[in-house]
């Protein structure tokens, strides 16, 4: 591994180069676990907070200030593009994205026109500009993101969060051509959304395919992977690291490694040394169980050390949780984890390499 002293630790690890310290950030690091978030956010839909650049930038910076994490993740949401073009979707507190009229037939394609970032989401571009001016890119890069086509489609088709994904699976199998058109439009939207963020100053992008784990490998390969590959191929020329994350993806990891992503996010179900063999050659991100953070500092630190040792099996490792921070999380435990990862991360990685 080549040393990369001039690159931020996060970007160095994304490229499989040697970071100056072990990088860490937390998925959903901004949000309800932070009292300063609850104060800044106000009431109403989260989409209203996201549409106010000063608020969105402040909320993005809160966890950077509090925890000293190695990446700032843009405060936005995966449904922002479809909301902005008027599909008719909102985010209900405590529930998640809900669509009044779910996507069910070819006629609904008319409700999914292309995203024009300057017209539809000027507030996201403005938020990114504010953040790019505030953050030191050599220390804390800004991570932009979008929802992967399958996961966004699942909300549009189900009309809300789902346990079984029955409607979305019925649609993809029964009407594969319509499905292909749906995810292709969502791929174009993710491309426009993330490209606009990079143009305004984001230094890496992550695609959240949070619910991909509901698919079998065969389904993932046929119905989800091609649209994700389209997104990553289009982002290739931008030269920023591309991260792909999903939950429950143990059986999908080798396919995800063919998506064009530079880094694969791993949930807590697969030990990182095992995950590394499934995504051969790619750096990994993850994978402390967010629930273990609730079990107390010492326990969480012990498990986090194990994650760091196992992560050494991959050519790069960005420490993270296996999914998002739970709202009931005590921020003090996350603070202790950041301190430990920064102080001990590189030596635990070296230790892992020799066992
Ligand atoms: O810190 C960060 O990670 C940045 C901000 C961020 C949000 N949503 C803000 C948010 C990110 C990266 C997302 C992505 C997102 N949104 C995903 C992918 C990540 C994941 O968790 O798997 C998904 C599936 C969504 C859809 C969504 N939005 C859900 C399921 C919810 C939770 C509903 C609830 O209230 O329990 C939201 C709302 C949401 N998005 C919140 C935040 C901070 C919390 C609620 C609020 O403050 O109103």
């Amino acid at each position: 591994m080549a040393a990369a002293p001039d690159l931020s630790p996060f970007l160095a690890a994304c490229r499989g180069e040697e970071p100056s310290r072990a990088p860490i950030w937390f998925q959903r690091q901004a949000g309800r676990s932070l009292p300063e978030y609850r104060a800044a956010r106000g009431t109403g839909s989260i989409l209203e907070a996201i549409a106010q650049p000063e608020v969105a930038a402040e909320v993005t910076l809160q966890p950077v200030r509090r925890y000293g994490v190695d990446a700032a993740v843009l405060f936005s949401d995966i449904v922002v593009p479809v909301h902005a073009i008027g599909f008719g979707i909102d985010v209900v507190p405590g529930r998640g994205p809900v669509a009044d009229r779910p996507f069910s037939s070819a006629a609904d394609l008319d409700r999914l026109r292309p995203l024009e970032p300057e017209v539809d989401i000027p507030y996201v571009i403005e938020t990114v500009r504010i953040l790019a001016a505030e953050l030191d890119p050599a220390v804390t890069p800004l991570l932009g993101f979008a929802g992967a086509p399958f996961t966004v489609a699942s909300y549009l088709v189900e009309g809300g969060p789902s346990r079984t994904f029955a409607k979305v699976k019925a649609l993809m199998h029964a009407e594969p051509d319509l499905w292909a058109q749906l995810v292709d439009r969502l791929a174009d939207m993710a491309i426009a959304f993330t490209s606009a963020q990079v143009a305004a100053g984001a230094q890496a992008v992550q695609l959240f395919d949070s619910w991909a784990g509901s698919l079998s490998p065969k389904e993932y390969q046929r119905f989800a992977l091609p649209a994700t590959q389209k997104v990553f191929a289009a982002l290739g020329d931008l030269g920023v690291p591309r991260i792909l994350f999903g939950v429950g993806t143990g059986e999908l990891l080798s396919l995800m490694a063919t998506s064009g992503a530079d880094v694969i996010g791993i949930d807590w179900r697969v030990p990182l040394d095992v995950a590394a063999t499934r995504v051969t050659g790619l750096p990994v991100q993850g994978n402390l169980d967010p629930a273990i953070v609730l079990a107390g500092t010492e326990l969480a630190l012990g498990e986090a050390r194990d994650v760091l040792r196992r992560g050494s099996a991959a050519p790069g490792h960005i420490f993270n949780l296996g999914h998002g921070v739970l709202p009931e999380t005590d921020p003090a435990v996350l603070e202790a984890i950041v301190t430990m990862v920064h102080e001990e991360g590189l030596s635990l990685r070296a230790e892992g390499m020799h066992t």
Side-chain angles (χ1 to χ4, degrees):
M1 244 196 302
D6 301 332
L7 217 49
S8 65
F10 171 79
L11 292 181
C14 286
R15 293 188 192 174
E17 294 176 26
E18 209 172 284
S20 53
R21 68 182 185 193
I24 173 170
W25 68 280
F26 300 111
Q27 301 188 100
R28 291 286 181 92
Q29 62 192 12
R32 287 168 299 175
S33 64
L34 294 180
E36 60 266 37
Y37 170 78
R38 294 193 292 266
R41 151 103 163 74
T43 51
S45 164
I46 192 175
L47 297 176
E48 287 164 27
I50 288 168
Q52 298 169 53
E54 296 293 338
V55 174
E58 167 60 21
V59 169
T60 303
L61 293 170
Q62 285 173 345
V64 176
R65 287 191 208 110
R66 181 189 272 261
Y67 300 125
V69 281
D70 298 290
V73 54
L74 175 68
F75 186 72
S76 188
D77 197 89
I78 59 169
V79 299
V80 162
V82 277
H83 167 74
I85 59 155
F87 182 83
I89 191 160
D90 202 354
V91 180
V92 178
R95 182 139 188 256
V98 174
D100 309 334
R101 288 190 297 135
F103 183 100
S104 63
S105 71
D108 293 317
L109 286 171
D110 294 341
R111 296 161 62 202
L112 288 170
R113 67 165 172 82
L115 180 76
E116 295 177 60
E118 291 78 14
V119 178
D120 298 319
I121 47 155
Y123 47 87
V124 174
I125 297 171
E126 180 58 19
T127 304
V128 174
R129 286 207 184 106
I130 296 171
L131 289 165
E134 289 271 328
L135 291 162
D136 180 348
V139 181
T140 324
L142 178 65
L143 176 62
F145 72 89
F150 166 72
T151 288
V152 176
S154 77
Y155 285 113
L156 301 189
V157 174
E158 298 287 337
S162 171
R163 275 184 199 284
T164 59
F165 298 92
K167 288 186 189 143
V168 72
K169 287 196 182 191
L171 182 80
M172 60 174 59
H173 283 283
E175 298 186 67
D177 294 340
L178 176 59
W179 172 259
Q181 290 183 65
L182 169 59
V183 286
D184 190 62
R185 289 195 189 199
L186 295 175
D188 288 340
M189 242 180 266
I191 293 165
F193 190 44
T194 48
S195 301
Q197 294 168 38
V198 172
Q203 289 169 282
V205 291
Q206 177 159 324
L207 275 194
F208 285 96
D209 209 353
S210 303
W211 313 134
S214 63
L215 300 175
S216 70
K218 209 168 85 182
E219 288 172 326
Y220 180 76
Q221 186 160 26
R222 179 169 172 209
F223 297 119
L225 182 61
T228 293
Q229 284 171 328
K230 180 179 182 181
V231 178
F232 283 140
L235 298 180
D237 290 342
L238 299 181
V240 298
R242 296 157 292 182
I243 308 172
L244 177 60
F245 169 75
V247 180
T249 56
E251 296 300 324
L252 307 179
L253 289 174
S254 57
L255 289 169
M256 289 168 71
T258 69
S259 64
D262 303 297
V263 177
I264 306 293
I266 315 287
D267 85 353
W268 64 92
R269 292 172 179 86
V270 184
L272 283 187
D273 49 334
V274 177
T277 65
R278 298 183 187 173
V279 300
T280 321
L282 293 180
V284 294
Q285 176 173 278
N287 75 345
L288 182 68
D289 187 339
I292 285 181
V293 176
L294 308 182
T297 308
E298 284 316 309
L299 219 127
L301 287 176
E303 290 298 317
R305 289 187 178 99
D306 185 51
V307 167
L308 285 160
R309 286 191 200 96
R310 291 179 189 272
S312 67
H317 175 214
I318 299 128
F319 189 97
N320 208 313
L321 301 180
H323 196 184
V325 174
L326 296 167
E328 58 270 43
T329 297
D330 175 1
V333 182
L334 297 185
E335 282 166 32
I337 294 173
V338 172
T339 303
M340 186 282 288
V341 169
H342 283 162
E343 286 175 357
E344 302 175 30
L346 290 185
S347 48
L348 287 165
R349 184 170 169 81
E351 206 180 294
M353 284 175 185
H354 295 105
T355 50

